Amino acid sequence: MVIAAPSSGSGKTTVATGLMAALRARGLRVSPHKVGPDYIDPGYHALATGLPGRNLDPWLTSEELVAPLFLHGAAGADLAVVEGVMGLFDGRGDTDLASTAHVARLLDAPVVLVVDAARQSRSVAAVVHGFATFDPRVRVGGVILNRVGSDRHEELCRSALAAAGVPVLGAIRRDDAVATPSRHLGLIPAAERGREAVSAVDRLGELVARSCDLEGLVRLSRTAPALRERPWTPDDALLGSQAGPGGERPVVAVAGGAAFTFGYAEHAELLGAAGAEVVTFDPLRDEALPEGAAAVVIGGGFPEMYAADLAANEPLKREIGAFGGPVAAECAGLLYLCESLDDHPMCGKIPAKAAMTPRLTLGYRDATATRDSLLTRTGERYRGHEFHRTAVTGADEPLFRWEGGGDGHGNPLVTASYLHLHWAGSPLLAQRLVSSSRSPSALR
């Protein structure tokens, strides 16, 4: 089932995460998914289900891959919960491309609409009626009322919705105790909160369990028909690429820890299928790269929150700055490779400086590579996503160009940019990285 809402801030993450936790507590194996490029919500989904949170994004990976990627993640599960993004019909620009509705159609899945009932009663029926009838290809199978104020308030909302013909599958009271803390790019990642995040997810599960009709929600999920597509696999995506002479498996060091929490589960799977041994390291704690590291991947996150601590880890900074193998970095990784971040010295691998700004840069990008680099070839097009409040100055000609902008640094051993890419949409990136880690002296 797909958990959607009329707008952001209605409570989708509260309901979706709590529902995952509540169903898992009932003994069900729940597959967690998130519409769109967001990295943070899937971290909470993973805590709730014990399985990797996975993204479904038609822009980043293509329409054709949404169902196969869903089936890959949901293999062996009893049911799947897909958290939507923004409002149900909000997509790229003035279209519904990559919207929650778009993904619900591609999966032929029923939608549960989470409606913020605060400051309204009978009007919720008009809202639900509008969303249920706006696009007949999208099946709204139920409503969960959020932030209900009292028994009388709930009674009025239920009465109005009975006339609208959409069943109420839950009514959640206002509860400040389950609020999830946020910062400038959304929620604080679960990995940064440790045991606090685990406790928060447990509370969400208890809240949904006592407030929602779990049996009714499970019955609704079972109305989704079987999908005809084959599950995606990393081996198929790479066309059966092999590990190289003698079964060599180069070590690819992938940054993790609290400062670098953004990454898609399929990236590590693709690297493994391409022949690599994936080993994580924490730039906040580890003073050296993993033993035998032949390549480094540094994804996104919140390095600006940990700039002083990252700067204090001099041994690791020196090693990465002098590292002679391939390095792929996105957003936070780009900042870490710069000479400085908010005047804190970083690795100095890229001749540029980074700093926080008051401006949020957010949106999908249709990017073209301007030259060859570790991962890119001149003229190749990539669909990506930007999401940051920092700026980099002093870098060379941007590696990527798109309408209205561009950024990035690249050479035969480095690809670093603000652009977040989903490698399932461009699996050759994993193969190029692993191939270069075996023979870093030449572009592949």
Side-chain angles (χ1 to χ4, degrees):
M1 70 191 108
V2 175
I3 307 300
S7 66
S8 295
S10 299
K12 289 190 304 294
T13 302
T14 295
V15 171
T17 305
L19 179 59
M20 293 173 191
L23 293 173
R24 183 190 186 192
R26 295 286 181 97
L28 295 175
R29 182 177 173 86
V30 184
S31 178
H33 304 265
K34 170 69 179 180
V35 177
D38 174 62
Y39 296 98
I40 299 176
D41 292 346
Y44 288 92
H45 298 170
L47 284 182
T49 64
L51 297 174
R54 295 181 184 268
N55 294 68
L56 302 171
D57 192 312
W59 172 261
L60 293 182
T61 65
S62 80
E63 285 185 314
E64 292 74 23
L65 279 178
V66 167
L69 285 167
F70 168 81
L71 291 169
H72 169 67
D78 296 306
L79 57 82
V81 176
V82 182
E83 181 187 343
V85 62
M86 300 176 63
L88 175 58
F89 298 105
D90 298 327
R92 185 172 187 261
D94 60 356
T95 75
D96 82 339
L97 175 63
S99 68
T100 304
H102 188 190
V103 170
R105 293 199 307 269
L106 292 171
L107 299 178
D108 202 6
V111 172
V112 177
L113 197 67
V114 178
V115 178
D116 184 352
R119 297 181 295 279
Q120 59 179 322
S121 56
R122 190 165 181 263
S123 294
V124 299
V127 172
V128 172
H129 175 76
F131 275 81
T133 58
F134 182 77
D135 184 345
R137 300 171 297 172
V138 178
R139 178 164 57 99
V140 177
V143 175
I144 292 177
L145 300 167
N146 192 28
R147 297 178 190 147
V148 174
S150 65
D151 289 345
R152 178 57 177 165
H153 185 200
E154 179 180 341
E155 180 184 338
L156 291 171
C157 292
R158 285 182 177 274
S159 176
L161 283 163
V166 181
V168 177
L169 296 175
I172 300 175
R173 296 298 171 89
R174 297 170 190 160
D175 188 345
D176 294 336
V178 300
T180 303
S182 62
R183 64 163 70 108
H184 51 274
L185 294 184
L187 300 181
I188 294 177
E192 294 188 39
R193 299 176 62 198
R195 290 297 308 172
E196 180 190 358
V198 175
S199 297
V201 168
D202 289 343
R203 290 196 299 273
L204 290 177
E206 294 165 0
L207 176 66
V208 168
R210 68 174 180 263
S211 305
C212 296
D213 178 3
L214 296 184
E215 289 76 15
L217 287 161
V218 170
R219 284 195 301 271
L220 178 64
S221 74
R222 289 175 178 158
T223 66
L227 295 169
R228 297 190 182 96
E229 290 84 354
R230 290 179 55 199
W232 178 90
T233 71
D235 287 321
D236 287 346
L238 292 169
L239 300 177
S241 62
Q242 299 301 311
E248 173 195 1
R249 295 187 67 82
V251 173
V252 175
V254 178
F260 299 98
T261 57
F262 295 0
Y264 298 125
E266 292 81 4
H267 289 197
E269 293 170 350
L270 283 163
L271 288 170
E277 178 186 352
V278 178
V279 180
T280 59
F281 70 102
D282 184 350
L284 288 173
R285 299 178 182 276
D286 298 328
E287 294 188 345
L289 290 171
E291 183 177 356
V296 177
V297 176
I298 311 174
F302 288 98
E304 63 270 21
M305 304 302 299
Y306 299 94
D309 292 329
L310 289 169
N313 191 346
E314 290 283 356
L316 183 63
K317 285 193 311 177
R318 284 196 301 270
E319 182 175 359
I320 292 176
F323 184 70
V327 179
E330 288 184 353
C331 202
L334 166 70
L335 307 182
Y336 186 51
L337 295 183
C338 286
E339 295 171 345
S340 64
L341 170 57
D342 286 339
D343 295 325
H344 295 282
M346 294 289 119
C347 297
K349 200 169 189 69
I350 294 175
K353 299 180 186 299
M356 285 291 292
T357 72
R359 177 174 176 267
L360 173 63
T361 300
L362 170 67
Y364 286 124
R365 304 288 183 249
D366 188 354
T368 300
T370 63
R371 61 184 179 277
D372 289 359
S373 73
L374 168 66
L375 299 183
T376 65
R377 302 297 177 264
T378 304
E380 289 181 341
R381 293 180 63 181
Y382 296 92
R383 285 186 165 188
H385 183 261
E386 276 193 294
F387 193 35
H388 58 91
R389 283 192 184 273
T390 57
V392 171
T393 56
D396 52 11
E397 176 70 16
L399 175 62
F400 294 105
R401 288 284 188 186
W402 52 79
E403 184 179 353
D407 74 59
H409 173 89
N411 62 45
L413 285 175
V414 175
T415 297
S417 169
Y418 275 121
L419 202 64
H420 291 290
L421 302 175
H422 196 305
W423 288 7
S426 302
L428 188 57
L429 299 177
Q431 184 60 70
R432 285 175 177 167
L433 180 70
V434 175
S435 295
S436 294
S437 70
R438 295 194 182 100
S439 180
S441 61
L443 284 171
R444 299 284 172 163

